[in-house]
Amino acid sequence: MTHAQINPLLVQVLSNEEVKENIPTISSVPGKYVREMFNQIKAINPISVVNHQTLTCTSCGRKGKYDVGMIVVNVDKKDGNMSDNIQTTGYYRCKHCNAAGNWELPQSMLFQALTAALPLGDKGISLVGKNLLFDGSWHKHATDAEEYLLHLIQENPNDSYLWNRLGNIYRTGNRPELATSAYEHSIAIDPKQVESHYTLGLLLLDIKDYLNAGYHIRQSLLYAEGYKKLEAMQLREMLAIGLQSLLIIHYNSEGSVPFIPTEEERQATGRFSSSNGYDSIEIELDIDPNEISTFYPLAEMYMGIRAKEINLRNRTYQMPSTTPSKKKKVRKKKRKR
Ligand SMILES: [Zn+2]
């Protein structure tokens, strides 16, 4: 019988208890949305290409078919043989003994790796490059990166960013139910973890949970200004995609799920409260739902002061009442007094 392919260490770190079972089931993975995500797993768009291969587990000697995802070939690594220099994005563990990372790779996979650098190679399946973690570390399998992050998390259990990165490993490994649990945990530690709100929202949109998808994406807008883990341009791109998704949610829910944060939500997070005068601003938006850049002005508005990190040429949002130069002058005058 095959099982859920879940790392017992994940369950242990999530539940903060010693886990005795070597082969956990999905019911031992905590999270409000985890079960639903697992039940509707087929509705979720795979992030990585689906690439089924027959691998042999060297821990138990048994063969199985696994979705290895994309093959990334590190041509800088000159040591070892070909199979030591390739990475796979898929998240998979032995169906029989639940071991991870001890694989004998089939010739068909090595062939995919060989063609990565060729002009005729299938760029969807394999490419030349390196998948590095946020700290620059290189890991062969998604399960290796997972193990590495789980150990970092054990040393820093309240680091919501590490939990977000772990969620990303599961997401690109086509394991959205595990990603969901990691993102939920990340937000439980830090409700201002913007990237976790955002990606969790997109996953919930995939399973058409519009209410919760909308909530989490709106939260990512509200906390964007204080979020320092992304460059300003990346942050704007993320928020713009979030806004585009919110518009889709708004339409699909026939208007019942708000497009932008509600007054109540704004007050709860202390952003755009009436004291700073933001709510009197009306901006003219010319949104084309299919054109992501038309969401930039609104995204920049939610970025607040962080929008100023985008150079003027690329910036799209201006305070409608006064131009930035005029405002400066006014401030200077006040200071002189
Ligand atoms: Zn095995």
Side-chain angles (χ1 to χ4, degrees):
M1 219 194 93
T2 60
H3 56 82
Q5 297 183 44
I6 297 166
N7 189 342
L9 184 59
L10 169 68
V11 178
Q12 183 178 315
V13 178
L14 275 170
S15 61
N16 210 7
E17 281 169 31
E18 195 75 34
V19 172
K20 289 179 184 75
E21 42 178 4
N22 182 40
I23 302 184
T25 58
I26 190 67
S27 58
S28 48
V29 178
K32 182 178 159 193
Y33 312 120
V34 170
R35 190 64 47 82
E36 199 51 34
M37 200 66 72
F38 182 69
N39 291 340
Q40 295 201 50
I41 210 154
K42 290 203 164 70
I44 294 157
N45 303 317
I47 294 295
S48 296
V49 62
V50 175
N51 181 11
H52 287 290
Q53 298 284 338
T54 303
L55 310 183
T56 308
C57 169
T58 54
S59 294
C60 70
R62 286 193 269 184
K63 277 186 182 179
K65 207 174 171 192
Y66 301 92
D67 174 14
V68 301
M70 187 176 308
I71 293 171
V72 185
V73 186
N74 182 2
V75 289
D76 293 346
K77 235 172 152 219
K78 297 282 191 283
D79 55 322
N81 52 35
M82 175 63 106
S83 93
D84 293 329
N85 300 339
I86 65 177
Q87 289 177 296
T88 52
T89 57
Y91 184 93
Y92 46 92
R93 314 178 68 83
C94 178
K95 289 174 183 179
H96 309 285
C97 73
N98 206 27
N102 307 324
W103 302 107
E104 195 184 299
L105 306 182
Q107 284 301 319
S108 52
M109 244 175 107
L110 299 177
F111 182 74
Q112 286 180 340
L114 273 173
T115 61
L118 301 178
L120 292 175
D122 186 345
K123 293 289 175 276
I125 294 273
S126 59
L127 52 85
V128 168
K130 275 179 259 187
N131 254 341
L132 301 178
L133 276 189
F134 69 98
D135 61 355
S137 60
W138 185 95
H139 305 274
K140 186 168 168 63
H141 296 286
T143 47
D144 298 327
E146 175 207 34
E147 198 74 17
Y148 176 82
L149 280 168
L150 283 172
H151 286 295
L152 282 184
I153 285 170
Q154 282 184 307
E155 290 161 27
N156 313 278
N158 292 322
D159 189 331
S160 60
Y161 182 71
L162 291 177
W163 279 101
N164 174 267
R165 299 292 112 169
L166 182 65
N168 290 353
I169 295 287
Y170 295 132
R171 187 175 180 234
T172 48
N174 292 340
R175 295 295 299 269
E177 80 286 22
L178 300 182
T180 297
S181 184
Y183 293 138
E184 283 192 61
H185 194 82
S186 167
I187 294 165
I189 294 168
D190 177 13
K192 299 177 180 176
Q193 223 305 331
V194 164
E195 288 182 83
S196 294
H197 275 301
Y198 165 79
T199 318
L200 183 58
L202 294 191
L203 285 171
L204 290 165
L205 172 56
D206 273 348
I207 62 166
K208 298 190 168 56
D209 180 349
Y210 297 132
L211 194 68
N212 291 310
Y215 169 78
H216 285 288
I217 300 174
R218 291 195 306 276
Q219 291 293 304
S220 74
L221 293 172
L222 287 170
Y223 288 119
E225 185 169 16
Y227 193 68
K228 302 288 193 303
K229 295 284 188 184
L230 284 174
E231 300 277 329
M233 292 287 272
Q234 291 176 309
L235 182 62
R236 181 178 74 175
E237 194 66 22
M238 190 188 86
L239 298 181
I241 297 169
L243 284 159
Q244 186 186 42
S245 306
L246 280 169
L247 194 59
I248 293 168
I249 291 166
H250 187 68
Y251 282 141
N252 289 358
S253 67
E254 289 166 355
S256 67
V257 178
F259 167 48
I260 52 170
T262 62
E263 177 61 32
E264 235 179 11
E265 288 171 334
R266 285 166 18 183
Q267 280 177 5
T269 56
R271 284 220 54 201
F272 303 101
S273 59
S274 41
S275 60
N276 60 19
Y278 271 99
D279 37 345
S280 60
I281 289 172
E282 282 176 28
I283 42 176
E284 274 180 41
L285 291 172
D286 193 7
I287 287 175
D288 172 356
N290 298 314
E291 185 46 65
I292 202 74
S293 63
T294 61
F295 292 92
Y296 286 169
L298 204 48
E300 285 173 27
M301 200 192 88
Y302 282 99
M303 285 170 74
I305 48 167
R306 288 223 55 199
K308 291 184 178 167
E309 294 168 37
I310 299 172
N311 69 38
L312 268 175
R313 208 178 332 126
N314 292 322
R315 221 182 291 165
T316 58
Y317 172 64
Q318 291 187 337
M319 304 275 281
S321 49
T322 50
T323 62
S325 57
K326 261 188 190 171
K327 266 189 77 187
K328 258 187 190 168
K329 276 180 197 163
V330 172
R331 270 199 212 127
K332 269 186 187 166
K333 271 184 193 167
K334 274 186 183 169
R335 252 180 238 148
K336 275 180 187 166
R337 280 177 205 165

